[in-house]
Amino acid sequence: MAEEKVKVFDTTLRDGEQSPGCSMNTPEKKRMARQLEELGVDIIEAGFPIASQGDFDAVREVAAQAGTKVRVAALARAARADIERAAQALEPAHHSRIHVFLATSDIHLQHKLRLDRETALQQIGESVRLARSYAEDVEFSCEDATRSERAYLCRCFQTAVEAGATTLNIPDTVGYTMPREYAEIVCDVRRSVGEGPTLSVHCHDDLGLAVANSLAAIESGARQVECTINGIGERAGNAALEEIVMALKVRHDLVPLRTGVHSELLYPTSQLLSEIIGVNVQPNKAIVGRNAFAHEAGIHQDGVLKLALTYEIMTPQSVGVPTNRLVLGKHSGRHALQKRYQELGYHLEPEQLKELYRRFTELADRKKVILDEDLVRLLQHMEQPLPTNV
Ligand code: KIV
Ligand code: ZN
């Protein structure tokens, strides 16, 4: 039997782009979209066409350049003008999706939308029907789903399905839920709408749980995950695509599902996004951070040099990082120092290594990271004759 797939819905160009300092113009979005397509995501949410002429143009141009293997989505509130604008922007795409949303928590209904529950239900039905008149593929999201009253949330989704929605998204808009609760919500929604529609999850990282929550929902039956490269997005960000993809790949023994993502393109894609928006990822960011495959502690370096698996659960090559980096600093051991000298072309005799290591640790007490130039300088200042440069 073919292994089940989790669809990857990338919203870097929509939810990600909405976050401060991460905006992209049309050529930048097109460049990023090309890379996302190569990466192998299933759906690219290209923007929110009603928001501005720029957003409309970007969605239209991304739709026009997209190939046949990817679906391009555009966001719309549950309102005629939004849906018509989204449909127009998506016209050139081979495969398109209109993504309609309406908030369903009482806090949003009463204070933001000033809508009563019954009127909101009606609006969901009408807007999804309208979207279906433009597109075969319609996603409906209950914004703030995780703070919506459960029975009402299920009614909203049932209404969307009756009106023709093919994917139901359950966003944790404010990053409030926790894995067990989110898993339960997915099960409740599944029970209320039956097996037909694809259930989707969309998590924000306000409590640092976006990836954990997404995985819990996938284990409960969600088969679409919404995420962004480098986890960019509103406030604390969205669930990071690279983390979800690699969690599914590395722990395939626990969650036997696949994605269509080519993992060796994760790092280049992360780098491209950083270059485009001018925002670097934190050094200790999982999968794509500068230190994600760097080892400084002597014991770790020694282990990695003997067998990388001792301290690495995936290879750097599997995510497109050229090689693991042994960072030389005060925690490094003699073995790592010797290896770096070898890489620099120096073969050290045991006595020379001993003396150099002593000098190296003295220097490392004063300097956080030791660069190759420092190592060469250390060698040059040795009283003993210089070792052979091979
Ligand atoms: O976080 C959210 O609720 C959203 C929706 C528009 C899907 O981004
Ligand atoms: Zn969101």
Side-chain angles (χ1 to χ4, degrees):
M1 208 170 77
E3 195 181 24
E4 252 193 284
K5 181 176 177 183
V6 177
K7 286 186 197 161
V8 174
F9 177 114
D10 181 278
T11 184
T12 307
L13 304 181
R14 198 278 297 170
D15 220 353
E17 201 251 358
Q18 266 172 233
S19 64
C22 295
S23 62
M24 286 172 248
N25 59 31
T26 299
E28 290 167 339
K29 278 195 170 188
K30 283 174 72 180
R31 202 168 153 215
M32 197 62 210
R34 235 176 273 123
Q35 178 71 22
L36 291 169
E37 203 172 332
E38 217 178 302
L39 180 67
V41 307
D42 299 279
I43 300 116
I44 296 174
E45 187 166 49
F48 189 14
I50 194 86
S52 68
Q53 185 62 39
D55 235 30
F56 176 89
D57 294 340
V59 174
R60 199 166 165 95
E61 292 201 26
V62 167
Q65 78 171 18
T68 53
K69 289 195 186 132
V70 76
R71 191 172 285 283
V72 182
L75 187 68
R77 286 168 300 191
R80 176 172 286 277
D82 283 42
I83 292 166
E84 287 177 349
R85 197 81 174 130
Q88 214 184 335
L90 289 169
E91 264 164 14
H94 291 285
H95 305 292
S96 61
R97 171 178 296 182
I98 301 180
H99 177 189
V100 180
F101 75 101
L102 186 72
T104 52
S105 64
D106 286 332
I107 199 163
H108 277 237
L109 283 173
Q110 286 165 20
H111 300 281
K112 185 182 83 174
L113 300 175
R114 301 189 204 290
L115 268 187
D116 61 69
R117 284 184 176 188
E118 292 309 311
T119 312
L121 276 171
Q122 211 179 322
Q123 207 170 314
I124 291 170
E126 284 167 10
S127 58
V128 171
R129 255 188 302 279
L130 177 66
R132 269 307 299 266
S133 71
Y134 289 105
E136 295 257 292
D137 188 317
V138 170
E139 171 169 333
F140 177 71
S141 288
C142 287
E143 191 190 9
D144 205 17
T146 53
R147 293 192 301 169
S148 303
E149 196 252 325
R150 197 77 59 88
Y152 179 66
L153 178 73
C154 291
R155 276 182 74 204
C156 291
F157 281 130
Q158 283 164 345
T159 306
V161 172
E162 281 156 21
T166 45
T167 298
L168 304 176
N169 184 36
I170 311 169
D172 183 28
T173 306
V174 290
Y176 177 70
T177 197
M178 289 211 170
R180 183 146 43 96
E181 179 185 64
Y182 201 40
E184 272 169 25
I185 299 175
V186 171
C187 290
D188 286 348
V189 173
R190 174 57 76 207
R191 259 191 297 278
S192 70
V193 299
E195 290 304 313
T198 301
L199 298 190
S200 168
V201 288
H202 175 117
C203 296
H204 283 267
D205 209 29
D206 300 66
L207 291 174
L209 291 170
V211 170
N213 287 335
S214 302
L215 291 170
I218 289 169
E219 286 193 277
S220 265
R223 289 295 174 267
Q224 176 178 288
V225 61
E226 306 198 357
C227 41
T228 60
I229 300 295
N230 297 343
I232 65 166
E234 285 281 2
R235 308 179 309 280
N238 286 61
L241 181 149
E242 59 278 4
E243 295 178 23
I244 293 170
V245 166
M246 288 316 286
L248 291 174
K249 189 163 178 175
V250 172
R251 296 315 311 271
H252 190 260
D253 55 329
L254 289 184
V255 192
L257 298 167
R258 67 182 177 87
T259 70
V261 168
H262 305 295
S263 67
E264 63 294 345
L265 293 179
L266 287 171
Y267 183 71
T269 307
S270 157
Q271 293 282 297
L272 176 65
L273 178 65
S274 295
E275 183 204 315
I276 290 176
I277 62 179
V279 177
N280 289 329
V281 294
Q282 75 206 52
N284 61 330
K285 164 83 179 60
I287 318 295
V288 293
R290 175 164 31 94
N291 292 346
F293 293 92
H295 306 274
E296 189 187 324
I299 295 172
H300 291 210
Q301 292 187 334
D302 185 47
V304 168
L305 288 172
K306 287 173 176 150
L307 177 69
L309 261 181
T310 52
Y311 287 98
E312 283 181 356
I313 58 168
M314 59 198 135
T315 64
Q317 292 80 5
S318 69
V319 299
V321 170
T323 179
N324 65 341
R325 300 185 322 116
L326 297 187
V327 176
L328 293 178
K330 69 175 180 182
H331 304 109
S332 302
R334 203 172 297 192
H335 195 173
L337 183 68
Q338 183 182 29
K339 175 133 198 300
R340 179 60 61 85
Y341 271 117
Q342 270 168 4
E343 284 164 0
L344 292 172
Y346 297 101
H347 172 73
L348 303 175
E349 297 304 327
E351 275 310 303
Q352 291 171 319
L353 176 63
K354 196 170 159 196
E355 174 56 16
L356 267 173
Y357 185 66
R358 193 188 61 73
R359 290 163 181 243
F360 164 78
T361 50
E362 267 175 31
L363 180 64
D365 267 339
R366 286 179 276 124
K367 199 165 183 282
K368 276 195 183 141
V369 174
I370 309 290
L371 306 172
D372 291 345
E373 302 89 272
D374 298 318
L375 296 184
V376 174
R377 216 168 302 125
L378 277 184
L379 259 179
Q380 287 165 347
H381 289 95
M382 289 259 286
E383 280 147 22
Q384 299 158 13
L386 280 176
T388 2
N389 190 346
V390 287

